[in-house]
Amino acid sequence: MSAILDQPFHAPADTDLVNRLVSERNHQIGRCGELAGFIHDGYADAAGFFFRANEDRFNRFVSTVSEIFDIEKAKPYIDAVHWQKALDQTDVYECMPQARKDEWREQIEKREVPEFSEENVRSTIGDLLLSRARFIAEKADGVFRRLSRTHVTNAPEGFRKRFIMDYCFGYGSASCSAAGYLGDLREIIAKYMGRELPEGRLNNHSVMDYARNHRRGDWVDLDGGALKIRCYLKGTMHIEVHPDLAWRLNKLLHSLYPAAIPSQFREPPKKKPKIPAVHDRPLSFECLRVLKDGVKRQGEREWSTYGDYSKAACKEAARVLEQIGGVKDGNVWRFDYSPHDVLHEISASGVVPDQVAHQFYPTPPEIVDEMLAQAAPSAGARVLEPSAGTGAIADRVREHGPCRPTCVEISPLHCKILESKDHQVIEADFLEWADEQDAMLGSYDYVIMNPPYSEGRALAHLEAARPLLADGGKIVALLPATYQSRDLPGRWAQTFDRFPGTSISVGIYVEESE
């Protein structure tokens, strides 16, 4: 078994509580025996009045007093209650694979558990505690066994990068079992990524319900893009993991079934998959809980929370709220759009765009106003904003025109914010998108932008925007002031020292097409 299976998967648990639970169980058995003896010893007729008084008009309650107060029937129920307590108080149940949870839950519900004696409890709990190192492999096995057998996407030999579960929802909400298996998968992936474990079953319920009810048929990234899910009304959940994780899941299966998993399913891909660089910043799970617990307020454009959280988590959440456009007013964060779908997206993915990697520095209103004074877009003009971020320019364009600009933005989260503000949104890298838009040549009257500066992207944006401009159109761009020494065909309108959040001086550059 691999080294990861040799590591403690959960903290050690104290088994000394077994004596207390067994004593409590024996005490309850004794009290029930005393009550049964009391009832049978001349008080059955009096007790019968209570039961008959509680019968409904359909006479569904038909048990006799003797049957009700049968101590032999009460013992299995009392044993089941105490087995559940023992599992909960040793944390064994919580860290079990979902398949084992389902087995124990069924035994407890059917009261088909062993007698709750000290010998049985110590033996069973001890075995479970010692098995916790195997639980991670059993979690992978449970997920694999839970996959649909009717979808050809699922391979019988092991995990592929994409697989499907069915019957994941009931009565409009995620089933406890399916949420548990998703949680098992997320725990395994978190172990391989070296991240803290995702928070419990309720979080998985919430993620699945969001994917089905708000993003039905769309992929929803989880845990920084390590996996994603897509849910449908008929109850299926499609799951896709990073290709480098599928074979690792199969190695876990191989540790349980050495002869069952073909070698090609247990080897890394020979050709590295083309996966775009991840430019996202993971958030702590406590920060995610702060964001998730925030309440909706007036008009759904406000957010606040009054929970008991650490200062570090609150500070991290504040940075996120500010990044998505919130302005703090006392204990309330105010937005110019409804932020709650965006917060759902953050809760599911567990990340926000990294500011430096995305070169995301929102344009201050005073600079946007100067840019619009140079552009002077007319009502109904066709306006394009490349690399739009969260819409600092597009928001003012719509007010100034008025017109509805088209925003091209690479970050899915930023696109969600732009959609919440009712902008026209294209999720794409602007440079790649512009290179493929032969049909869009000459389509825009204005291109107004504050492009990213690193790696020559500012000039690349300028060059990509020119073919999209209509005759007589105008480009207004915020560029590094050092570009004033370059031989550019347009003119410079105004310079600003030290753009907020940077040490760079910038200038408004204006270029008109002939």
Side-chain angles (χ1 to χ4, degrees):
M1 197 173 292
S2 62
I4 190 172
L5 300 182
D6 298 330
Q7 302 171 10
F9 194 47
H10 291 271
D14 180 13
T15 58
D16 287 344
L17 58 86
V18 172
N19 287 335
R20 177 173 58 80
L21 288 174
V22 170
S23 176
E24 179 184 308
R25 177 262 187 190
N26 291 338
H27 177 67
Q28 295 292 353
I29 293 289
R31 286 174 58 83
C32 287
E34 291 175 6
L35 177 60
F38 180 78
I39 292 295
H40 290 307
D41 189 18
Y43 286 88
D45 56 340
F49 285 111
F50 288 96
F51 290 102
R52 287 194 295 273
N54 285 281
E55 291 177 3
D56 65 20
R57 62 192 181 91
F58 297 107
N59 199 33
R60 286 183 292 211
F61 190 80
V62 295
S63 296
T64 66
V65 173
S66 296
E67 291 173 330
I68 294 287
F69 292 99
D70 185 345
I71 188 62
E72 295 305 316
K73 288 186 177 179
K75 282 181 179 179
Y77 173 76
I78 297 171
D79 283 335
V81 168
H82 284 80
W83 273 112
Q84 185 68 67
K85 285 185 178 182
L87 294 172
D88 290 341
Q89 294 184 34
T90 55
D91 96 339
V92 172
Y93 186 78
E94 191 57 37
C95 70
M96 277 183 190
Q98 186 61 37
R100 286 205 189 213
K101 288 181 181 178
D102 289 345
E103 289 174 4
W104 270 99
R105 185 176 64 247
E106 183 177 358
Q107 290 181 61
I108 288 171
E109 287 177 353
K110 291 183 177 180
R111 304 169 193 176
E112 296 175 350
V113 292
E115 180 184 357
F116 195 82
S117 64
E118 181 174 352
E119 181 182 358
N120 286 342
V121 176
R122 286 197 180 278
S123 173
T124 302
I125 296 296
D127 287 345
L128 290 172
L129 290 172
L130 292 173
S131 298
R132 289 193 296 183
R134 286 173 51 89
F135 279 177
I136 188 170
E138 289 189 15
K139 286 174 186 281
D141 182 45
V143 172
F144 184 70
R145 290 174 179 274
R146 179 62 176 76
L147 300 184
S148 165
R149 299 305 171 202
T150 60
H151 290 82
V152 295
T153 301
N154 298 328
E157 302 89 349
F159 286 101
R160 292 173 176 163
K161 72 171 185 176
R162 187 175 293 180
F163 37 92
I164 300 173
M165 289 185 186
D166 51 11
Y167 304 109
C168 293
F169 297 85
Y171 303 103
S173 181
S175 73
C176 292
S177 181
Y181 284 108
L182 177 62
D184 284 351
L185 180 62
R186 295 176 74 187
E187 282 191 22
I188 297 168
I189 291 173
K191 282 291 275 189
Y192 278 121
M193 294 177 67
R195 290 195 66 189
E196 58 182 316
L197 299 181
E199 291 190 337
R201 194 168 52 213
L202 287 177
N203 176 264
N204 297 312
H205 269 280
S206 175
V207 163
M208 291 174 62
D209 287 344
Y210 171 68
R212 187 185 192 227
N213 299 331
H214 298 277
R215 296 286 303 280
R216 186 178 304 147
D218 294 334
W219 286 111
V220 176
D221 286 345
L222 305 184
D223 304 334
L227 74 159
K228 53 187 178 181
I229 63 173
R230 183 166 62 187
C231 299
Y232 292 92
L233 191 61
K234 61 184 178 181
T236 56
M237 176 168 61
H238 294 223
I239 303 173
E240 184 174 308
V241 298
H242 191 289
D244 199 38
L245 288 169
W247 70 274
R248 294 179 185 271
L249 291 171
N250 289 327
K251 287 194 72 173
L252 290 175
L253 295 180
H254 178 68
S255 70
L256 297 176
Y257 312 108
I261 310 299
S263 60
Q264 64 268 29
F265 276 71
R266 295 180 275 114
E267 297 171 354
K270 291 183 172 58
K271 185 177 180 181
K272 288 292 183 182
K274 292 183 179 179
I275 298 176
V278 176
H279 295 309
D280 293 319
R281 174 168 57 86
L283 301 172
S284 71
F285 284 107
E286 189 177 5
C287 170
L288 293 172
R289 187 166 65 251
V290 175
L291 296 172
K292 183 175 178 295
D293 290 350
V295 298
K296 299 180 182 180
R297 297 174 64 88
Q298 298 174 357
E300 296 195 348
R301 293 194 171 196
E302 298 180 0
W303 181 98
S304 65
T305 187
Y306 302 97
D308 185 18
Y309 309 106
S310 70
K311 289 184 179 179
C314 291
K315 188 174 181 179
E316 186 180 7
R319 288 197 298 269
V320 173
L321 293 166
E322 186 175 5
Q323 183 173 341
I324 64 173
V327 177
K328 193 173 185 182
D329 181 9
N331 292 324
V332 177
W333 287 82
R334 304 187 189 281
F335 295 80
D336 59 0
Y337 67 99
S338 177
H340 300 289
D341 282 349
V342 174
L343 291 170
H344 272 299
E345 198 83 11
I346 294 172
S347 296
S349 69
V351 297
V352 291
D354 181 80
Q355 184 178 33
V356 175
H358 279 271
Q359 292 283 283
F360 174 59
Y361 299 98
T363 314
E366 59 274 15
I367 296 182
V368 177
D369 288 343
E370 289 295 333
M371 296 175 72
L372 293 183
Q374 294 296 325
S378 56
R382 299 168 298 173
V383 180
L384 173 69
E385 184 186 357
S387 298
T390 57
I393 293 176
D395 295 345
R396 309 284 280 195
V397 168
R398 190 165 55 188
E399 296 170 4
H400 188 280
C403 53
R404 190 173 179 228
T406 298
C407 302
V408 181
E409 169 57 33
I410 190 173
S411 163
L413 180 66
H414 289 169
C415 288
K416 196 71 179 176
I417 294 173
L418 294 167
E419 289 170 356
S420 297
K421 295 180 176 182
D422 197 33
H423 293 305
Q424 300 180 80
V425 182
I426 299 171
E427 183 180 330
D429 181 318
F430 173 71
L431 297 179
E432 294 181 0
W433 176 81
D435 189 48
E436 300 171 354
Q437 299 305 307
D438 292 341
M440 300 296 291
L441 300 180
S443 295
Y444 296 98
D445 303 310
Y446 300 90
V447 178
I448 307 175
M449 60 180 170
N450 175 11
Y453 294 170
S454 66
E455 302 174 1
R457 284 183 282 177
L459 283 180
H461 272 61
L462 191 61
E463 293 171 1
R466 286 179 182 134
L468 302 175
L469 205 61
D471 292 341
K474 188 182 292 186
I475 295 175
V476 178
L478 193 68
L479 302 177
T482 55
Y483 283 17
Q484 291 178 357
S485 61
R486 296 175 180 257
D487 185 19
L488 297 175
R491 60 182 174 84
W492 293 87
Q494 189 171 348
T495 302
F496 302 89
D497 291 332
R498 294 180 64 86
F499 186 89
T502 75
S503 59
I504 300 174
S505 295
V506 298
I508 297 176
Y509 172 79
V510 182
E511 183 178 318
E512 299 182 38
S513 65
E514 298 179 356

